[in-house]
Amino acid sequence: MNKLTHLDESGAARMVDVSDKETTDREAVAEATVSLSAEAFAAVAAGNAPKGDVLAAARIAGIMAAKKTSELIPLCHPLALTKAGVEFEMQDAEKRIRVVTTVKTSGQTGVEMEALTAASVAALTIYDMVKAVDKGAVIGGVKLVAKSGGKSGDYRAGAAAKPAPFKPRAAATPMRSKPTTLMGEVAAPRPSQDAAAQREAFRKFMTAHGLRATEWAKSAGVPSGQILGFLTGRSRTIPHDVAEKLARVARARVEDMFR
């Protein structure tokens, strides 16, 4: 077994002396997962969780955590990071969010702990943002995916490839509210739109009008599952009578919710 580098000859903890190490470009990728209830997952996807934009808050928290790792992990070296990135993968079938962090530096020690800390804190922030909806959310799978640079060379966990950056859903991005059309003639969603396009348009409508699924459904006198099922892809459409009630509460036309 290799000697633990963070212990001196007497077994006391120490910060490793890296003075003689070569300065090289170093990179590390880590991940964590957050498993959510269907309601919480839909709220994150729609960008209307009780505390606001979940992914935006988690991204900033992860970046800040990477920069402050040496203040949190006692024997880590303070590093000048050249990159700290946080991306998210929304896994609809599992109702799970995969957090992927990438950290880079040019220095004498690696950034594995920075990447792992960023993934952990981003996941914790997601929990904090959704706990009002789902206190049973589970954080797991925190691990180093890959690293490069340094004396120990490259490492990759199993056969996993470095994930491509995830492009956040448009619905999770803060949007300017557009003028609301007063309730008039009710029309059905245009049949030329496919289910995915209608779902994305519906998310944007909710975000633009500050609508939360459970509260909106309650005000309209319809089951919240009608909205959540549509947002998460369990159902392809919202029944027309339900859509009419939702539109009436939102003071809009049905067709405005799907375009």
Side-chain angles (χ1 to χ4, degrees), residues 6-94:
H6 284 80
L7 299 179
D8 63 16
E9 300 300 329
S10 64
R14 66 174 183 178
M15 178 181 282
V16 176
D17 186 351
V18 297
S19 303
D20 297 329
K21 285 191 174 184
E22 182 182 0
T23 297
T24 62
D25 291 335
R26 300 166 185 266
E27 178 178 2
V29 179
E31 70 173 41
T33 60
V34 186
S35 298
L36 304 168
S37 67
E39 182 179 4
F41 185 86
V44 175
N48 60 3
K51 286 191 174 183
D53 193 328
V54 174
L55 301 186
R59 177 175 287 108
I60 295 299
I63 292 171
M64 290 178 64
K67 295 164 65 176
K68 290 182 172 291
T69 298
S70 64
E71 299 177 28
L72 301 171
I73 310 298
L75 303 181
C76 280
H77 295 77
L79 299 176
L81 304 183
T82 57
K83 176 182 178 179
V86 182
E87 303 297 338
F88 304 96
E89 178 185 334
M90 302 294 289
Q91 300 178 340
D92 288 358
E94 298 85 358

Side-chain angles (χ1 to χ4, degrees), residues 146-157:
K147 59 86 64 175
S148 62
K151 184 178 179 180
S152 64
D154 295 350
Y155 165 83
R156 191 171 297 278

